[in-house]
């Protein structure tokens, strides 16, 4: 491998994130395992060589610096190779939710104006359909985990990139698409220094990640949360990351934690709850866990306490966002206060403001705003939303918080009607539109309601067309209908048939009435 001459110091006028994350581990950790996926293990030297070949292959495909590359990849070695390879070449990678429908993907392809996409075999049909829907004429490169795909062929023949792109600290590094209140994803643009800053400020300063750690993140790499957990954080200190391409079922997670002796496990509350009730949950002495991390939605206090009692390890709950790239308010290992989100992560400042933008009095509920070095530069092609979210140094989160007597931040709900299901935003209007598309549905409203473990799931209130009887069979049919039209996690877990929906004088559905009636949450 030819080492780049690009300087890796964040303080340097030239800084390339991929160069920093790789070269800080070479040559001293060349033979240490960096990545383990479902097929095998890869050392830091092997990872770096693959990244250099990928960077060269992308250039040979005709991609130029600052052009966009969509990554529709499952969690295999190809994800970090392509993500870092693009960055090293100055190309902008855009990891995309692997649960997106062809319509979602078509929007991303058209909005980003990507020149190419690297896609796992399992997702290829969706991307081909998306390309047709969008009239997209870019190149699709296939990543086949069983070998023999386009990507393997390209890597086998490509010349390693001799010199990394001389990017600067504030140059665009990558995008992540984040759903908004309209249901349309927003291209969130991050700069070169943001990945390492999240690693330094949260993974190192709060979690205490070290070279000997083995990290498994059930949250996937396309997710801002998972990208830090499974890529940036371990590479920042020379640790080992375990990747899993399949669904993070309780069976799979338990087996991976046991087999690889993971010391750090990153999940979402829904998964922690599912693991606790699963008969195959490993015993305490079968695991090597020293810390667990939760984000994506509020961790119910009962789940945290039960996990610690069963396995003897804390869950460090925190809140982050795609806009801030990772967690900025968090509990601390050894001082977890279940039922709270903890305190600001070092390097970040937060404040709670009222509807007029004035800081709220102690104990009062208001909207959380955050200031820190990892804030996104802007939303691509969305000036209005950029102005509303990024107000000078402050980023508006849309989350309602208060501070308790001990100085811990307590999450009180969302400022709007968006739902978070399994850590991923769901727009109620999108689900409502899918329901209304059914021939038997006249109107529908969707709100968030806690299940038996206090985890928020979508609940639908449906008004049927005249002459149509709302019964269990129709409810099952509507659930399947939504699953077939949207990403599966968005379907309503419960459907209630009603004669009419509460509305304002102007005809808008009063969702808060439904939430209050059902004891739900936004």
């Amino acid at each position: 491998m030819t080492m780049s001459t690009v300087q890796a110091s964040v303080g340097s006028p030239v800084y390339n994130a991929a160069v920093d994350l790789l070269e800080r581990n070479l040559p001293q950790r060349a033979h240490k395992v960096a990545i383990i996926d479902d097929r095998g293990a890869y050392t830091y030297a092997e990872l770096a060589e693959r990244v250099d070949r990928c960077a060269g292959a992308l250039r040979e495909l005709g991609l130029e610096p600052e052009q966009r590359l969509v990554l529709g990849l499952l969690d295999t070695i190809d994800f970090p190779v392509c993500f870092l390879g693009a960055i090293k070449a100055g190309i902008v990678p855009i990891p995309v939710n692997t649960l997106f429908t062809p319509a979602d993907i078509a929007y991303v392809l058209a909005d980003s104006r990507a020149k190419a996409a690297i896609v796992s075999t399992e997702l290829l049909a969706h991307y081909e359909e998306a390309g047709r829907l969008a009239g997209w004429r870019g190149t699709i490169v296939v990543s086949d985990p069983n070998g023999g795909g386009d990507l393997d062929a390209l890597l086998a023949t490509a010349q390693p990139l001799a010199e990394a792109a001389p990017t600067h600290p504030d140059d665009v590094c990558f995008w992540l698409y984040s759903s908004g209140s309209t249901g349309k994803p927003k291209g969130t643009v991050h700069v070169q220094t943001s990945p390492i800053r999240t690693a330094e400020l949260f993974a190192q300063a709060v979690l205490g990640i070290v070279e000997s750690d083995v990290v498994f993140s059930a949250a996937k790499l396309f997710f801002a949360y998972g990208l830090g957990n499974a890529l940036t954080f371990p590479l920042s200190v020379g640790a080992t990351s375990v990747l899993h391409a399949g669904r993070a079922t309780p069976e799979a997670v338990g087996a991976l934690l046991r087999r690889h002796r993971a010391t750090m496990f990153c999940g979402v509350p829904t998964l922690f709850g599912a693991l606790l009730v699963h008969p195959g949950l490993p015993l305490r002495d079968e695991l090597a866990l020293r810390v667990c991390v939760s984000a994506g939605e509020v961790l119910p206090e009962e789940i945290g306490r039960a996990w610690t009692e069963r396995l003897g390890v804390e869950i460090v709950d925190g809140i982050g966002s795609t806009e801030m790239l990772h967690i900025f308010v968090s509990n601390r290992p050894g001082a977890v206060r279940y039922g709270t989100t903890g305190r600001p992560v070092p390097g970040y400042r937060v404040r709670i403001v009222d509807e007029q933008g004035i800081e709220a009095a102690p104990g009062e509920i208001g909207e959380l705003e955050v200031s820190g070095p990892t804030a996104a530069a802007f939303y691509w092609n969305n000036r209005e939303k950029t102005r509303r979210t990024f107000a000078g140094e402050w980023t508006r989160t849309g989350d309602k918080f208060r501070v308790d007597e001990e100085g811990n931040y307590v999450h009180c709900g969302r400022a709007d009607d968006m739902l978070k299901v399994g850590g991923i935003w769901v727009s109620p209007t999108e689900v409502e539109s899918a329901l209304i598309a059914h021939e038997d549905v006249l109107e529908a409203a969707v709100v968030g309601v806690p299940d038996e473990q206090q985890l928020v799931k979508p609940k639908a209130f449906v008004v049927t067309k005249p002459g149509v009887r709302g019964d269990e069979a129709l409810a099952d049919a509507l659930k399947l209908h939504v699953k077939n039209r949207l990403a599966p996690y968005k379907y309503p877990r419960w459907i209630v048939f009603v004669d009419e929906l509460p509305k304002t004088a102007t005809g808008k559905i009063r969702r808060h009435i439904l939430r209050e009636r059902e004891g739900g949450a936004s």
Side-chain angles (χ1 to χ4, degrees), residues 454-468:
Q454 297 303 301
L455 301 173
V456 173
K457 300 291 187 294
K459 182 170 187 173
F461 296 83
V462 172
V463 179
T464 60
K465 291 180 178 178
V468 176

Side-chain angles (χ1 to χ4, degrees), residues 1-4 6 8 15-30 34-35 42-55 77 80-89 161 164 196 231-232 234-238:
M1 181 183 69
T2 302
M3 302 303 294
S4 170
V6 174
Y15 177 80
N16 183 291
V19 172
D20 184 3
L21 289 170
L22 290 168
E23 294 194 358
R24 64 175 51 215
N25 294 297
L26 300 172
Q28 69 273 25
R29 300 186 184 106
I35 305 289
Y42 310 85
T43 66
Y44 273 95
E46 291 169 333
L47 174 62
E49 182 181 9
R50 283 174 176 251
V51 167
D52 279 356
R53 286 189 176 277
C54 183
I77 185 62
V81 165
C82 295
F83 183 77
L84 296 172
I87 294 170
K88 191 160 188 177
L161 187 69
I196 196 62
L231 182 59
T232 309
L235 264 61
S236 75
V237 294

Side-chain angles (χ1 to χ4, degrees), residues 259-332:
R259 181 187 314 137
H260 297 295
R261 304 291 292 173
T263 60
M264 185 180 298
F265 171 47
C266 307
V268 295
T270 301
L271 179 57
F272 284 110
L275 283 164
L276 282 169
V277 299
H278 190 268
L281 178 67
L283 300 175
R284 184 182 301 197
D285 59 5
E286 294 181 288
L287 299 175
L289 291 174
R290 69 169 186 83
V291 65
C292 297
V293 185
S294 179
E297 59 183 335
V298 176
L299 177 72
E301 185 173 352
E302 296 77 10
I303 289 179
R305 293 189 185 282
W307 184 268
T308 301
E309 289 172 6
R310 288 279 297 278
L311 297 179
V313 61
E314 295 174 318
I315 301 176
V316 176
D317 187 31
I319 183 172
S321 68
T322 303
E323 289 76 11
M324 297 303 295
L325 192 55
H326 215 277
I327 291 172
F328 51 82
V329 175
S330 174
N331 275 272
R332 302 295 194 270

Side-chain angles (χ1 to χ4, degrees), residues 119-300:
V119 180
S120 291
T121 305
E122 296 88 336
L123 306 175
L124 180 58
H126 273 23
Y127 273 80
E128 290 175 335
E129 175 63 17
R132 289 190 288 270
L133 290 173
W136 182 71
R137 300 185 181 278
T139 301
I140 293 181
V141 176
V142 178
S143 161
D144 187 342
N146 297 314
D150 302 339
L151 182 61
D152 282 350
L154 288 172
L155 294 180
T157 60
Q159 289 297 312
L161 187 69
E163 296 290 336
T167 51
H168 292 75
D170 287 341
D171 279 342
V172 173
C173 186
F174 63 97
W175 299 6
L176 294 171
Y177 270 85
S178 170
S179 295
S181 57
T182 64
K184 283 188 175 182
K186 303 184 297 294
T188 310
V189 178
H190 282 285
V191 301
Q192 294 282 337
T193 55
S194 289
I196 196 62
R197 290 302 191 207
T198 61
E200 292 169 345
L201 299 175
F202 180 64
Q204 296 174 24
V206 174
L207 301 180
I209 190 171
V210 293
E211 181 180 358
S212 59
D213 275 316
V214 177
V215 183
F216 173 59
S217 175
K220 300 299 186 179
L221 285 164
F222 70 77
F223 213 177
Y225 177 47
L227 185 66
N229 300 339
L231 182 59
T232 309
F233 293 178
L235 264 61
S236 75
V237 294
T240 298
S241 176
V242 176
L243 304 180
H244 176 55
R247 290 180 55 238
T249 63
E251 295 91 342
V253 170
L256 288 164
L257 293 175
R258 187 187 292 114
R259 181 187 314 137
H260 297 295
R261 304 291 292 173
T263 60
M264 185 180 298
F265 171 47
C266 307
V268 295
T270 301
L271 179 57
F272 284 110
L275 283 164
L276 282 169
V277 299
H278 190 268
L281 178 67
L283 300 175
R284 184 182 301 197
D285 59 5
E286 294 181 288
L287 299 175
L289 291 174
R290 69 169 186 83
V291 65
C292 297
V293 185
S294 179
E297 59 183 335
V298 176
L299 177 72

Side-chain angles (χ1 to χ4, degrees), residues 387-398:
R387 285 178 164 178
R388 290 204 304 266
T389 301
F390 305 103
E393 67 173 307
W394 295 99
T395 298
R396 294 168 176 156
T397 67

